[in-house]
Amino acid sequence: MIIAIDGPAGAGKSTVARLVARFLGYTYLDTGAMYRALTLKALRLACDLSDPDRLSALAAGTEINLTNPAGREHPAVSLDGVDVTDQIRTPEVNRGVPKVAAVPGVRAAMIRRQRELASSGGVVMDGRDIGTNVLPGADRKFFLTASLEERARRRKLELEQNGYEVSEEEIRAEIARRDKADQERPVDPLVRAPDAILIDTTGQSIDQVVELILFYCRPSAQK
Ligand code: CDP
């Protein structure tokens, strides 16, 4: 089965997707991590993030790989053969990533790779445009949301665990800005696929959401 999970920043997609994949014995593919890794490379090379040609060329010449080491919260991400897992979730990358992800040439390269990775099936893929564009034929599609307040609270915790002190207000502003950019970009915007099951995770525990998704994924459930 192919399972697509989309939604705005901090809705809990990656945590939930990873657990669903583990339960089903599937591969978890975090497409946001791919855009983040490319953004990190662009920042390191001091690329102009408003230069689409430069970013498209960069994407074409970059190798990004995702693996799921046991016991790790996030998948391991390698950028041109070097592990960058701990470097892609910084405030700088958060700020830059929507610009990089809005470039059509970047998306084309990433989506090609994402479809390749999903081609053997048995995957849970999360992102913004998985159910609408990357894998429109997915067997199950979910759209996860939560209130802005709750998403900011979760992101603050995650950043604190990584050693970053950022105020909840700043995080709320950053998330809102990123959502707006993702929703309003002309290519592959963040939008719920008409056939995606909507799950509002506000006030729900991770386990509750995972259980709900697994319930909808049981073989007898209607698509
Ligand atoms: O973890 P969080 O929800 O904050 O974001 P993410 O899934 O790591 O994605 C980071 C950024 O990558 C998003 O804000 C989008 O700009 C971009 N992205 C995208 O455009 N398309 C995807 N399929 C996945 C991510």
Side-chain angles (χ1 to χ4, degrees):
M1 218 162 52
I2 290 185
I3 301 171
I5 303 182
D6 290 302
K13 299 180 302 292
S14 52
T15 308
V16 162
R18 183 171 48 85
L19 293 172
V20 168
R22 186 187 299 163
F23 186 88
L24 295 172
Y26 283 11
T27 303
Y28 165 46
L29 295 169
D30 175 356
T31 62
M34 298 173 72
Y35 291 97
R36 287 175 176 277
L38 186 68
T39 303
L40 178 69
K41 182 169 175 178
L43 291 171
R44 283 179 174 171
L45 294 174
C47 292
D48 177 359
L49 298 192
S50 52
D51 179 348
D53 294 339
R54 175 86 173 93
L55 293 172
S56 302
L58 196 69
T62 299
E63 203 189 308
I64 296 169
N65 279 300
L66 304 174
T67 48
N68 292 282
R72 292 274 296 260
E73 162 123 30
H74 290 291
V77 186
S78 92
L79 174 65
D80 296 324
V82 179
D83 186 278
V84 292
T85 313
D86 295 333
Q87 282 93 60
I88 61 168
R89 290 173 206 283
T90 62
E92 294 75 34
V93 172
N94 284 346
R95 266 194 302 275
V97 66
K99 292 184 194 149
V100 175
V103 174
V106 166
R107 301 202 69 81
M110 296 291 145
I111 290 169
R112 199 175 315 119
R113 177 93 182 106
Q114 289 158 13
R115 288 185 180 143
E116 229 172 68
L117 291 169
S119 61
S120 45
V123 298
V124 181
M125 190 180 276
D126 85 345
R128 300 293 186 283
D129 60 336
I130 310 306
T132 50
N133 181 50
V134 180
L135 305 169
D139 301 285
R140 295 289 186 280
K141 298 181 187 178
F142 298 92
F143 194 87
L144 261 54
T145 60
S147 70
L148 183 60
E149 283 64 35
E150 177 134 348
R151 293 189 286 126
R153 250 193 321 273
R154 291 175 187 165
R155 187 48 44 98
K156 183 169 173 11
L157 269 178
E158 188 183 272
L159 283 167
E160 276 171 3
Q161 278 160 8
N162 291 335
Y164 294 97
E165 232 359 285
V166 190
S167 78
E168 204 166 302
E169 209 166 298
E170 260 177 88
I171 297 175
R172 203 178 309 135
E174 186 271 322
I175 287 182
R177 204 168 38 238
R178 192 143 59 89
D179 285 348
K180 187 170 183 324
D182 290 344
Q183 282 158 353
E184 293 182 353
R185 68 180 176 219
V187 277
D188 314 334
L190 166 67
V191 61
R192 178 186 164 196
D195 52 346
I197 296 164
L198 178 68
I199 301 178
D200 186 341
T201 70
T202 311
Q204 294 213 50
S205 71
I206 291 167
D207 287 351
Q208 281 173 318
V209 181
V210 170
E211 249 175 61
L212 191 60
I213 290 183
L214 289 172
F215 172 79
Y216 282 117
C217 287
R218 72 200 194 284
S220 58
Q222 286 293 312
K223 191 177 167 181

